[in-house]
Amino acid sequence: MPSISRRGETMPESPIRKLVPFAEAAIKRGIKIIHLNIGQPDIKTPKVALEAVRNNTLEVLAYTRTEGSEPYREKIAKYYAKNNIDVDADHIIVTTGGSEALSFAMGSIADTEDEIIIPEPFYANYNGFANACGIKVVPVVSSIENNFALPPIDEFEKLITPRTKAILICNPGNPTGYLYTREEIKKLATIIKKHNLFLVADEVYREFIYDGREHCSILQEIGLEEHAIVIDSVSKRYSMCGARIGYLVSKNKEVIRTALKFAQARLSPPTYAQIASEAALDTPQSYFDDVKKEYGERRNLLISELNKLEGVVVGRPQGAFYCIAQLPIENADTFAQWLLEDFNLDGETVMVAPAAGFYATNGLGTNQIRIAYVLDKEDLRRAVHILKVALKAYAH
Amino acid sequence: MPSISRRGETMPESPIRKLVPFAEAAIKRGIKIIHLNIGQPDIKTPKVALEAVRNNTLEVLAYTRTEGSEPYREKIAKYYAKNNIDVDADHIIVTTGGSEALSFAMGSIADTEDEIIIPEPFYANYNGFANACGIKVVPVVSSIENNFALPPIDEFEKLITPRTKAILICNPGNPTGYLYTREEIKKLATIIKKHNLFLVADEVYREFIYDGREHCSILQEIGLEEHAIVIDSVSKRYSMCGARIGYLVSKNKEVIRTALKFAQARLSPPTYAQIASEAALDTPQSYFDDVKKEYGERRNLLISELNKLEGVVVGRPQGAFYCIAQLPIENADTFAQWLLEDFNLDGETVMVAPAAGFYATNGLGTNQIRIAYVLDKEDLRRAVHILKVALKAYAH
């Protein structure tokens, strides 16, 4: 039998995937699972997007332009203008999800054995895309005690080598919910310019910011034009993860020219999804106001309930819809499996994402879990109660 | 300004892309262009597929399973059974176009600096995916004089090194239309087993075979189960290139397990497109009979018209909807540009794809073009007439 590649062997598996057989077995035993483990929002997709697809009159489902249609990209540029981000249609490539934008960005700026510095914990799939390209992820630790703030600049400088090509941030963060301040972005900009690196920012949760705070995009930073690459996506913004539409945005012409070559190889982003996503740009502001209010309330409920649990430390997310919780246990992998295999409260249990998969440093985050608050408040309250009872039972 | 990656610099551009500005300028001058250059069929998408999307009642456009839904993959397995290919749902991963299937296959079986042997001319984007992964494409020449038949086996053996991981074929071929015989597949199987390699076959044009011949899939080859990986796509089969749905199919469990990890990183294939593609499996046989008849007639017309032109050599495609034509010129790049920039016949001209981009060996195919017969017969006839007049004018 021919052997698979080393890159294939080292491709990380999703931190949740290992738990799936245990979840399936629990369901077979009649256990109801409350899912705290996935970032698939329960929020309805805007009607304007769904209807645009239902009303389409295509007779030939043809390729679109590789970079997305001109009118769509112009409309995206207007969306950015409303968000105080000044870009043209030419600075935007429409991609198949934020995933593909990230993949194009990594391929365009880094070669095999090159390094990208990422504050950890980080979105687990960054590891996957880097591994597929042979790029080395160099983690810099942010800690729950500090609510996952930007690590001190000298921690970054210690890690920079001739092979360092970029720093990658997620703002606001998955899995931490941390929102970088303008000051933190400026600190990053200084180091980026000093070492002539790229700054890649995954800003897909831009709309979901709480406590009256404001999102700072790296594209707003003057002097960073040639360095900044933004990864964006419609998935969470319009609760349409299944569309698989994202954007790569940069004012650096070489980056766009290069990413476009990667895009040409895969021909075009999906057509129906572009119809939905272009229409979604007409979503009324009231939709976002409602969604933001809902997520804000869920966050408040979740964090205050978690804080009541003995021995639980929880970050306070200011954006997105995730939080990291540190539990009074040794190993969250074992605990998460136990929750599905050996525990239930009146026929119910919870599924959580062990946080170790969001760290690149071995041994970090082993007693932490990521919780996504994409469930209604009643379910969230019950989930935390189940967790409370489970933690007590697990300790004995 | 930070520098882009070497892999980004060496990413090939689409052979057609360079001509686009000249085409746009021609249109501005009021010239009508007949496009022989693109593989976007004019054939209508089956109604059953279009209507499934129009009638969808989704309220949340959610992720699907990473590998595609269970019912969809089971239905795909039945499609293969009808085509005398015996696979289960577990052997199939639904991908975002055949492009992504190819990308997952390459990533799963080859590392940076590893080699894949491909008979040339080949689909230009194979170069792109290989380059993105740092894989070396090793071409083995098939020639128009021989109608692009499989090169002799000792030509392959000469090229095999310890870094060779696979042979990749496209059957029937883009850009040649060549259909491998059962005997040729068996020859390949022998060499594949002898050297313990993978055989990757792009079989997306399986349905479009002429002259009463039959398609031979590598998945039908007994003893090749652990070696065979098929790349498939709904794009051409149902004239729905814009869906962006393909499949990776293999009975090698390690390949599927590994490709699934690449798939997990990008979450899931597009949801609407899967609705359309699942419904498309119910397309009545009469649709294919009509489409095949139409393509067959176009092929006959195109080949016989081209054969009338002095100094033109043309392969006889037995499948797909492309052919390679060798012209009595020196450089097809220059000629293709001249057709758009300096020539018209009563306000019309043709756009062709220079074939050099389909060869990996420098200097090969420079006097050849690829023609896609995805236009109606009237347009095809006129296009060849325009080409005839143009060739005469160009010679003077």
Side-chain angles (χ1 to χ4, degrees), chain A residues 267-344:
Chain A
L267 305 167
S268 72
T271 300
Y272 282 131
Q274 286 183 82
I275 293 172
S277 303
E278 183 168 346
L281 287 166
D282 295 326
T283 303
Q285 184 54 40
S286 60
Y287 174 91
F288 293 106
D289 295 343
D290 291 350
V291 173
K292 209 168 127 173
K293 183 165 168 283
E294 176 65 23
Y295 281 140
E297 288 170 6
R298 290 175 182 185
R299 180 202 63 159
N300 293 345
L301 171 88
L302 176 70
I303 303 300
S304 84
E305 290 300 307
L306 284 172
N307 272 326
K308 289 178 193 166
L309 305 192
E310 214 184 303
V312 170
V313 181
V314 58
R316 183 171 175 82
Q318 301 113 349
F321 39 63
Y322 306 98
C323 73
I324 292 279
Q326 189 164 295
L327 306 181
I329 55 168
E330 286 228 332
N331 186 308
D333 273 307
T334 321
F335 178 64
Q337 185 177 326
W338 175 86
L339 280 170
L340 296 169
E341 234 185 344
D342 297 315
F343 178 80
N344 76 82

Side-chain angles (χ1 to χ4, degrees), chain A residues 9-305:
Chain A
E9 276 166 21
T10 55
M11 270 301 280
E13 260 195 301
S14 147
I16 300 157
R17 192 92 189 174
K18 289 175 233 163
L19 295 172
V20 170
F22 300 104
E24 285 172 353
I27 290 163
K28 270 195 191 150
R29 293 196 313 276
I31 306 291
K32 198 191 147 200
I33 298 173
I34 304 182
H35 287 274
L36 299 175
N37 58 300
I38 34 171
Q40 166 60 57
D42 59 330
I43 304 283
K44 284 186 185 165
T45 307
K47 278 199 178 123
V48 66
L50 297 172
E51 279 166 12
V53 172
R54 280 187 207 122
N55 297 333
N56 89 81
T57 56
L58 292 179
E59 294 200 313
V60 181
L61 184 59
Y63 292 123
T64 64
R65 282 180 73 139
T66 286
E67 63 269 43
S69 80
E70 197 70 16
Y72 179 29
R73 287 180 300 120
E74 271 163 17
K75 228 168 134 181
I76 298 169
K78 279 182 196 150
Y79 155 82
Y80 282 118
K82 261 194 252 168
N83 286 273
N84 303 312
I85 294 167
D86 173 33
V87 291
D88 300 337
D90 287 348
H91 302 134
I92 300 163
I93 296 177
V94 177
T95 56
T96 306
S99 306
E100 192 180 67
L102 198 63
S103 187
F104 290 170
M106 285 193 180
S108 298
I109 64 178
D111 283 301
T112 305
E113 301 293 323
D114 282 346
E115 298 165 4
I116 297 184
I117 299 174
I118 316 182
E120 67 179 349
F122 56 78
Y123 177 50
N125 287 327
Y126 295 163
N127 261 329
F129 299 120
N131 187 81
C133 292
I135 296 165
K136 209 175 140 193
V137 168
V138 177
V140 52
V141 185
S142 74
S143 74
I144 196 165
E145 288 75 24
N146 206 12
N147 200 23
F148 302 108
L150 190 74
I153 286 302
D154 57 347
E155 291 299 316
F156 282 91
E157 298 226 274
K158 273 187 222 160
L159 299 172
I160 291 173
T161 75
R163 300 230 65 154
T164 307
K165 296 298 168 186
I167 297 173
L168 165 60
I169 60 169
C170 183
N171 184 31
N174 172 7
T176 63
Y178 187 78
L179 179 71
Y180 291 107
T181 60
R182 177 82 60 196
E183 201 195 354
E184 285 174 305
I185 299 288
K186 283 192 185 300
K187 272 190 198 167
L188 276 173
T190 306
I191 193 172
I192 286 287
K193 285 186 279 187
K194 179 175 165 195
H195 295 275
N196 200 25
L197 306 175
F198 286 105
L199 180 58
V200 184
D202 175 344
E203 301 186 352
V204 304
Y205 300 99
R206 181 183 299 116
E207 269 74 10
F208 307 127
I209 309 289
Y210 315 112
D211 304 330
R213 288 190 51 190
E214 205 187 320
H215 182 257
C216 302
S217 172
I218 62 166
L219 289 170
Q220 292 161 339
E221 205 51 47
I222 292 162
L224 208 62
E225 290 79 3
E226 298 295 329
H227 303 265
I229 303 173
V230 159
I231 306 302
D232 214 335
S233 164
V234 306
S235 292
K236 315 291 165 134
R237 185 166 303 146
Y238 309 109
S239 195
M240 45 198 281
C241 300
R244 313 309 303 127
I245 289 292
Y247 323 137
L248 182 150
V249 191
S250 180
K251 292 191 175 184
N252 181 316
K253 280 185 188 164
E254 278 302 288
V255 167
I256 291 294
R257 196 184 62 80
T258 307
L260 194 59
K261 292 194 286 180
F262 286 88
Q264 278 169 25
R266 63 73 165 125
L267 305 167
S268 72
T271 300
Y272 282 131
Q274 286 183 82
I275 293 172
S277 303
E278 183 168 346
L281 287 166
D282 295 326
T283 303
Q285 184 54 40
S286 60
Y287 174 91
F288 293 106
D289 295 343
D290 291 350
V291 173
K292 209 168 127 173
K293 183 165 168 283
E294 176 65 23
Y295 281 140
E297 288 170 6
R298 290 175 182 185
R299 180 202 63 159
N300 293 345
L301 171 88
L302 176 70
I303 303 300
S304 84
E305 290 300 307

Side-chain angles (χ1 to χ4, degrees), chain B residues 29-333:
Chain B
R29 293 195 313 277
I31 306 291
K32 198 190 148 200
I33 298 174
I34 305 183
H35 288 274
L36 299 174
N37 58 301
I38 35 171
Q40 166 61 56
D42 59 329
I43 305 283
K44 285 187 185 166
T45 308
K47 279 201 177 124
V48 66
L50 298 171
E51 277 166 14
V53 172
R54 280 186 207 124
N55 297 333
N56 90 82
T57 56
L58 293 179
E59 292 199 315
V60 181
L61 184 59
Y63 292 123
T64 64
R65 283 181 73 138
T66 285
E67 62 271 43
S69 79
E70 197 69 16
Y72 180 28
R73 286 181 301 120
E74 272 163 17
K75 227 168 133 182
I76 298 168
K78 279 182 197 151
Y79 155 82
Y80 282 118
K82 262 193 252 168
N83 285 273
N84 303 313
I85 295 169
D86 173 34
V87 291
D88 301 336
D90 288 349
H91 302 134
I92 301 163
I93 296 176
V94 177
T95 56
T96 307
S99 306
E100 192 179 66
L102 198 65
S103 186
F104 290 169
M106 286 194 180
S108 297
I109 64 177
D111 283 302
T112 305
E113 301 293 325
D114 281 347
E115 297 165 5
I116 296 183
I117 299 174
I118 315 181
E120 68 180 347
F122 56 77
Y123 177 51
N125 287 326
Y126 295 162
N127 262 329
F129 299 119
N131 186 81
C133 292
I135 297 166
K136 210 175 140 194
V137 168
V138 177
V140 52
V141 185
S142 74
S143 74
I144 196 165
E145 287 75 23
N146 205 11
N147 200 23
F148 303 110
L150 191 74
I153 286 302
D154 57 345
E155 292 300 315
F156 283 91
E157 297 226 275
K158 272 186 221 162
L159 299 171
I160 291 174
T161 76
R163 300 229 65 154
T164 307
K165 297 296 170 188
I167 297 173
L168 165 60
I169 60 169
C170 183
N171 183 32
N174 172 7
T176 63
Y178 187 77
L179 179 71
Y180 290 107
T181 61
R182 176 84 58 195
E183 201 195 353
E184 285 174 306
I185 300 288
K186 284 193 187 298
K187 271 189 199 168
L188 277 172
T190 307
I191 193 172
I192 286 287
K193 284 185 279 186
K194 178 175 166 194
H195 295 276
N196 200 23
L197 306 175
F198 286 104
L199 179 59
V200 183
D202 176 343
E203 300 185 353
V204 305
Y205 300 98
R206 181 182 299 117
E207 269 73 11
F208 307 127
I209 309 290
Y210 315 112
D211 303 330
R213 287 191 51 191
E214 205 188 321
H215 182 258
C216 303
S217 172
I218 61 165
L219 289 170
Q220 294 162 338
E221 205 49 48
I222 291 161
L224 208 62
E225 291 79 3
E226 298 296 328
H227 304 265
I229 303 173
V230 159
I231 306 303
D232 214 333
S233 163
V234 306
S235 292
K236 314 291 164 131
R237 185 164 304 146
Y238 310 108
S239 195
M240 45 197 281
C241 301
R244 312 310 302 126
I245 290 291
Y247 324 136
L248 181 150
V249 191
S250 181
K251 292 192 176 184
N252 180 316
K253 281 186 186 161
E254 279 301 288
V255 167
I256 291 295
R257 196 184 63 78
T258 307
L260 194 59
K261 293 194 285 180
F262 286 89
Q264 279 170 25
R266 64 72 166 124
L267 304 166
S268 72
T271 299
Y272 282 131
Q274 285 183 81
I275 294 172
S277 303
E278 184 169 344
L281 286 166
D282 296 326
T283 303
Q285 184 54 39
S286 60
Y287 174 91
F288 293 106
D289 296 342
D290 291 350
V291 172
K292 210 168 125 173
K293 182 165 168 282
E294 176 66 23
Y295 282 140
E297 288 171 5
R298 289 175 183 184
R299 181 203 60 159
N300 293 346
L301 172 88
L302 176 69
I303 303 301
S304 84
E305 290 302 307
L306 284 172
N307 272 326
K308 290 179 195 165
L309 305 192
E310 212 184 305
V312 171
V313 180
V314 59
R316 183 171 174 82
Q318 301 112 349
F321 38 64
Y322 306 98
C323 74
I324 291 278
Q326 189 164 295
L327 306 181
I329 55 169
E330 287 230 331
N331 186 308
D333 273 306

